[in-house]
Amino acid sequence: KNVDALVGRGDAESFSGDYRHARTDYQAALAMQPDDTDAVVGLATVDYWLGDLPAAIALDKRALALDSGDSDATDLQRELSVKTAPSITSTLTTSHSSDGSTFDFRLAESFFTTPTTALGVIEELYRISDSQSFVETKRFGLEATVQPTSRLGATVSLLGSHYGGAPSVTDSVVTLFGADDGLSYGAGYSVGGVDGSVAANGGQTSPNGFWSPLVRISTLFGNVGYTDRADTLSISAQTAGYNDGNRYHEVTFDLSRVLRVGSATTVTPDIGLRNASFSEGYSNPPQGVSPGYYNYYSQRDITLSMTANRQLSDRFAVGVVGTLGERNTVVPVYF
């Protein structure tokens, strides 16, 4: 029944990612001492890490009302203001291989109208090329996210694209997501495929003298994961239908565990299993024998990754990732 001990244990559990037990200890402390600022801040921090920003903001305001000079409450207030401040995020992804290169630059600007609602603008340039030619897609769109609690949120994205000689089209994605007591989950539906058109046609806008067909893909996807302290298990699946009659299926399992080596170093082994396949049910048979249209019938992967990370200071860490895997691929034979 020692309130300080309960709060201290809650802090240790929260720091290690055991939010369920941390919440229980903070609530037990508050049941005995409702005006304990450290317990209120601890509970607010748990909600912050779980993504429940409205609950974290309300609890932090309560902590500051109890003690306006509390440094932890002030620090959390600053972090919450950063979390809900206007932001610009840019990502650049490139790949290079013997048969060509890809370039994908994405810029997203977003701002929060409320702590539970964010609106954003997305701009993207996607390019695939080889030594002779290249083709690119320019995209522009809007995105909105609503997450009243950590248990349920939704994101809607609309991206207009222009590709090769095809007319402009709109790709759309609707995603539901949430987390509760170590369990995370998500599901969604997308209609798109401009990027797939570029890749599927080998980066050519006019293969064999004809305009490349515009690939449209309708995808249903979902994932579920569970985290218990240092152990994480996740399962994801998707099924997609192409406008040429073909279908695609994929299931992935991933299991990881964080192992601590001293106070500043972690080693994380990760095992992944993936199975993917095309049904090859074309509505237009000539497409099924067009080289480069699809790369394989089926693939099975097994990978073992090892991540080593060392925290050098509060704001700086270094790490290295090594991956060993095997892929079995069944490829089409063109007669």
Side-chain angles (χ1 to χ4, degrees), residues 132-175:
Q132 283 80 35
S133 63
F134 79 91
V135 64
E136 66 182 22
T137 299
K138 295 178 180 178
R139 320 178 84 184
F140 180 82
L142 303 174
E143 185 172 77
T145 298
V146 178
Q147 189 177 10
T149 71
S150 63
R151 292 183 176 89
L152 184 62
T155 297
V156 178
S157 301
L158 297 173
L159 287 174
S161 305
H162 184 74
Y163 158 68
S168 297
V169 293
T170 300
D171 293 352
S172 60
V173 184
V174 178
T175 306

Side-chain angles (χ1 to χ4, degrees), residues 187-239:
Y189 180 75
S190 67
V191 179
V194 174
D195 293 354
S197 300
V198 180
N201 293 285
Q204 302 178 71
T205 54
S206 304
N208 302 320
F210 297 96
W211 285 109
S212 296
L214 184 65
V215 178
R216 300 301 286 164
I217 310 168
S218 300
T219 306
L220 181 66
F221 56 90
N223 65 277
V224 62
Y226 182 73
T227 300
D228 183 14
R229 298 195 180 188
D231 301 321
T232 300
L233 172 65
S234 64
I235 303 171
S236 61
Q238 62 173 305
T239 180

